[in-house]
Amino acid sequence: MKVLVTGSNGQVGTCLVKQLSEIANVSFWAVDRTELDITDEKAVKNSVKRYSPDVIINAAAYTAVDKAEAEVKLSYLVNREGARYLAEAANDIGATILHISTDYVFAGDKDGMYDENDSVRPQGVYGQSKLEGEVEVAKACPRHIILRTAWVFSEYGNNFVKTMLRLADNRDSLGIVADQFGGPTYAGDIAKALIYIANKSVNRGSVSYGIYHFSGLPHVSWYEFAKAVFDKAKEQCLLRKEIIVSPINTEDYPTLAKRPANSTLDTKKINSQFGIQPSNWLFALNNLSEYK
């Protein structure tokens, strides 16, 4: 199996590179923005044609949720046009594209978990650009898997867990939003799921293409997530001092872009089709020294 990975320096991209390098009979080409700008249509088409992968995994995205409100053009260039160019290139050579999307395609006001058939209604530029990217990918390449996920964290890049550990070194107390709920998702588990699906897709008849949700359980608030991080850090003797964590409301922590109050994703479909279990995010916090 030949795999092209975009966004190789991101959280999921880094995990993909690490895991793919450990698999026999798999060759891959992992690129970051400097090696392949996915917003350059000609470069994308030429590179994909030259490498001729069986599967493209698009882990590249514009993910700065607040900055997207000002950098609208760039958000759409990466999240919509870039995704479309990759999907078109995949279709040209008969490849499959696996594309990562987000909980931000939903309004976040549903009572209960979001499944793949729920109505989408993004509340900001980031969510809208990702939604339009989904639409373009689906139109351009029938052999597509769109994987929506949420609250991604890992040892790499910038994320909530690393921020909490950094703040714990400098603060005695923190106020964390307690009225937004979701499923923290370890990037290594996303990579594992994508590689499993990629392998299945090489055997054309065994994959039901379309949209899937993949995230972690149990569902928690950001406040509960932070508490779990600090509890695990304490168990691992990584906290230099006790830190007081207090619950606050969304309105107490204003941001440029509106966050979904409910980011809980129903993962029954991916379990039914592929046997993939939700991300075990609590287990992923057992090696917090690597997040420092």
Side-chain angles (χ1 to χ4, degrees):
M1 181 173 68
K2 288 177 70 177
V3 183
L4 169 61
V5 177
T6 61
S8 63
N9 284 343
Q11 293 191 77
V12 177
T14 301
C15 293
L16 282 166
V17 169
K18 185 177 178 182
Q19 292 181 28
L20 286 168
S21 65
E22 297 170 351
I23 302 174
N25 302 319
V26 170
S27 60
F28 66 94
W29 181 32
V31 294
D32 63 16
R33 185 171 49 196
T34 62
E35 295 163 305
L36 178 61
D37 181 356
I38 68 168
T39 69
D40 183 336
E41 183 177 11
K42 186 175 180 181
V44 168
K45 299 291 176 68
N46 289 342
S47 294
V48 170
K49 187 175 181 181
R50 185 171 61 250
Y51 185 64
S52 191
D54 299 302
V55 181
I56 296 174
I57 303 180
N58 181 28
Y62 182 104
T63 58
V65 175
D66 290 320
K67 284 178 69 176
E69 296 300 309
E71 297 183 343
V72 178
K73 184 177 180 181
L74 181 58
S75 300
Y76 280 94
L77 270 174
V78 177
N79 293 340
R80 182 181 63 194
E81 270 68 45
R84 174 164 61 86
Y85 299 153
L86 287 166
E88 288 174 346
N91 192 56
D92 288 345
I93 63 167
T96 296
I97 183 164
L98 310 186
H99 174 71
I100 301 171
S101 193
T102 174
D103 56 296
Y104 275 72
V105 301
F106 297 114
D109 56 0
K110 181 184 177 181
D111 182 15
M113 293 184 292
Y114 281 98
D115 66 32
E116 292 82 355
N117 296 316
D118 279 319
S119 297
V120 289
R121 187 161 54 88
Q123 299 296 293
V125 172
Y126 168 67
Q128 186 64 41
S129 66
K130 289 295 291 181
L131 174 59
E132 293 187 24
E134 288 186 7
V135 173
E136 294 298 330
V137 166
K139 282 197 303 185
C141 184
R143 294 170 303 280
H144 67 268
I145 297 287
I146 294 165
L147 194 74
R148 292 178 182 149
T149 190
W151 294 23
V152 180
F153 71 94
S154 69
E155 305 91 329
Y156 315 109
N158 298 313
N159 57 72
F160 183 80
V161 174
K162 294 183 77 173
T163 298
M164 290 300 102
L165 294 173
R166 186 182 70 249
L167 290 174
D169 288 336
N170 305 311
R171 305 272 191 89
D172 295 317
S173 62
L174 288 171
I176 307 294
V177 172
D179 57 357
Q180 295 173 19
F181 297 86
T185 313
Y186 179 54
D189 292 337
I190 299 172
K192 185 178 178 181
L194 288 167
I195 292 169
Y196 182 83
I197 295 170
N199 268 309
K200 295 281 281 186
S201 74
V202 174
N203 177 6
R204 296 281 189 237
S206 63
V207 170
S208 178
Y209 295 105
I211 296 173
Y212 290 86
H213 288 174
F214 177 76
S215 64
L217 286 176
H219 294 141
V220 288
S221 67
W222 288 112
Y223 166 74
E224 292 167 324
F225 189 16
K227 292 276 284 183
V229 171
F230 294 133
D231 286 346
K232 288 284 190 177
K234 191 173 181 180
E235 287 175 13
Q236 296 164 53
C237 302
L238 296 174
L239 284 185
R240 294 189 304 200
K241 60 182 184 304
E242 197 72 32
I243 184 163
I244 299 169
V245 185
S246 303
I248 63 173
N249 295 323
T250 297
E251 62 196 31
D252 299 321
Y253 187 75
T255 55
L256 286 173
K258 185 179 180 182
R259 267 66 174 168
N262 176 15
S263 288
T264 60
L265 302 177
D266 189 328
T267 57
K268 288 193 190 77
K269 181 181 175 184
I270 199 168
N271 179 252
S272 173
Q273 291 292 331
F274 296 104
I276 293 172
Q277 299 292 327
S279 175
N280 186 344
W281 62 267
L282 279 165
F283 180 81
L285 297 178
N286 285 336
N287 61 333
L288 287 177
S289 61
E290 297 182 23
Y291 290 70
K292 288 282 196 173

